[in-house]
Amino acid sequence: MQRITPFIWFNDQAEEAANFYTAIFRNSSIDKVVRYGAAGAEASGQPAGQVMTVSFTLDGLSFTALNGGPHSQITEAISFVVDCETQGEVDKYWNALSDGGEEGRCAWLKDRFGVSWQIVPRALVEMLSDPDPEKSQRVMQAMLQMNRIDIAALKRAYEQG
């Protein structure tokens, strides 16, 4: 069993978000939906019968989403990193998660619910950690110009010189 579970506070879109995410990632499922009863509805200001929490799994990792109302907002201070092996994976996750959201710089995006994601190819991490500072700095400069990461462009920058 997973000891630590990411918990995401939504105003009233927990179930919609969980369905969106589980449709994108393999090995994913909606595991449990709990609805507000009278006592919880009164305490939270949410209507009785509305979804309170959704437990779901993304690629084997457990999450919980809460419809907690407008008291807390999602920020970029927390993001989820998607480790990608190929450009095809980068493109798949970037396109799916940014649909209806907002593209950011350097592999970052916000999805339609305001949750921040980083779509990061392993090649980027490997090239940035190269012991040759000239190579790693060329890769950094190339990455700083990108929104979605282009592995081929990074490799060109890496091999240049």
Side-chain angles (χ1 to χ4, degrees):
M1 183 171 159
Q2 182 177 307
R3 182 177 301 269
I4 299 171
T5 301
F7 191 95
I8 309 170
W9 180 304
F10 294 92
N11 183 7
D12 61 1
Q13 298 174 306
E15 188 172 33
E16 181 183 349
N19 285 324
F20 177 69
Y21 302 141
T22 57
I24 293 171
F25 293 94
R26 64 181 173 78
N27 191 25
S28 299
S29 60
I30 301 294
D31 303 320
K32 183 188 284 186
V33 176
V34 176
R35 298 187 178 279
Y36 279 104
E42 184 179 327
S44 69
Q46 299 289 349
Q50 177 175 305
V51 170
M52 181 173 69
T53 60
V54 180
S55 298
F56 60 102
T57 301
L58 297 182
D59 203 6
L61 180 64
S62 297
F63 286 77
T64 300
L66 167 73
N67 280 331
H71 314 295
S72 292
Q73 300 298 312
I74 295 171
T75 74
E76 294 172 332
I78 298 288
S79 65
F80 299 106
V81 178
V82 180
D83 177 48
C84 298
E85 182 68 34
T86 66
Q87 187 66 50
E89 285 183 339
V90 169
D91 296 344
K92 172 189 170 185
Y93 293 119
W94 184 272
N95 291 337
L97 289 165
S98 67
D99 183 25
E102 178 184 326
E103 294 186 5
R105 301 293 282 174
C106 306
W108 287 70
L109 64 86
K110 281 187 188 177
D111 68 29
R112 64 180 72 166
F113 305 102
V115 175
S116 292
W117 298 82
Q118 297 177 59
I119 312 303
V120 180
R122 287 183 197 149
L124 171 62
V125 176
E126 291 167 6
M127 288 184 272
L128 285 175
S129 61
D130 190 289
D132 181 337
E134 290 181 15
K135 288 182 175 182
S136 64
Q137 286 305 299
R138 288 194 304 265
V139 171
M140 176 62 77
Q141 287 300 320
M143 183 206 56
L144 291 172
Q145 305 306 311
M146 299 176 184
N147 288 0
R148 175 191 336 214
I149 301 300
D150 178 339
I151 297 172
L154 293 176
K155 286 183 179 178
R156 286 192 297 276
Y158 181 79
E159 294 166 356
Q160 176 185 32

